[in-house]
Amino acid sequence: MCGILALFDGALSAAELEALCKRLTSLLSHRGPDEVGCHVGGGFALGHARLSIMDPAHGHQPLVHAPTGNAVVHNGEIYNHAELRERAALEAAAARAPPVVYATHSDSESILPLFETHGAHVAAMLDGMFAFVAVRPDGTCVAARDPCGIKPLYRGWSASGRVLFASE
């Protein structure tokens, strides 16, 4: 069990987004007591309270794909992550694109290359119990959970226009 958070507010500075992300993510620490991580982009922040299970040494979140700046926070388990990694590699080869390089062995990282090429359709490719928010540097995002809703994902918004997604 982990805690995930995504907040979108173009009126806040990067420093304000980071401070708010850290404060809100710390409230989820009972869902993931091992570490808390935040990533700030243009008008958004992702937070993750981690319970280290998959790739405990390297699976820190949020995960960011350096070449594109796309980022993801994920809670749960993706059962078919090995097949998804293979699919991404085959698609890159077929498109004569650079090979997909993974920084971790975490199942969460398998979301990123498919989000880059398939956008919102990535959710339908996942088999497992999961909730995730994937974001492009421009703030375009996909927030999804498994079809049975095993892993929680809530959305909310404020009167000022701030949009939030969180595992609780």
Side-chain angles (χ1 to χ4, degrees):
M1 178 169 75
C2 297
I4 62 172
L5 168 78
L7 63 101
F8 299 84
D9 189 336
L12 297 179
S13 70
E16 292 169 320
L17 279 168
E18 183 173 20
L20 182 58
C21 181
K22 287 180 179 179
R23 185 168 54 94
L24 293 176
T25 304
S26 71
L27 297 174
L28 300 173
S29 63
H30 61 281
R31 295 186 62 87
D34 295 330
E35 68 180 307
V36 170
C38 287
H39 169 72
V40 177
F44 73 89
L46 298 177
H48 191 267
R50 184 171 186 224
L51 177 63
S52 300
I53 297 174
M54 296 283 283
D55 195 5
H58 304 102
H60 313 287
Q61 290 192 47
L63 291 163
V64 180
H65 188 233
T68 63
N70 293 340
V72 68
V73 286
H74 165 253
N75 175 34
E77 184 175 356
I78 300 171
Y79 306 140
N80 63 333
H81 68 95
E83 292 86 4
L84 294 174
R85 286 173 181 251
E86 186 176 323
R87 177 180 179 160
L90 291 172
E91 288 178 359
R96 299 181 195 268
V100 178
V101 177
Y102 294 96
T104 75
H105 296 288
S106 168
D107 58 338
S108 303
E109 194 176 14
S110 64
I111 297 169
L112 279 171
L114 295 170
F115 170 63
E116 291 168 12
T117 57
H118 296 280
H121 299 287
V122 67
M125 299 174 186
L126 306 180
D127 178 20
M129 55 177 186
F130 60 85
F132 74 89
V133 180
V135 185
R136 291 191 167 96
D138 66 1
T140 304
C141 79
V142 172
R145 67 180 189 181
D146 62 88
C148 294
I150 295 170
K151 293 297 179 181
L153 183 63
Y154 297 94
R155 72 170 188 231
W157 51 93
S158 69
S160 67
R162 180 178 300 148
V163 177
L164 297 121
F165 294 94
S167 51
E168 65 179 59

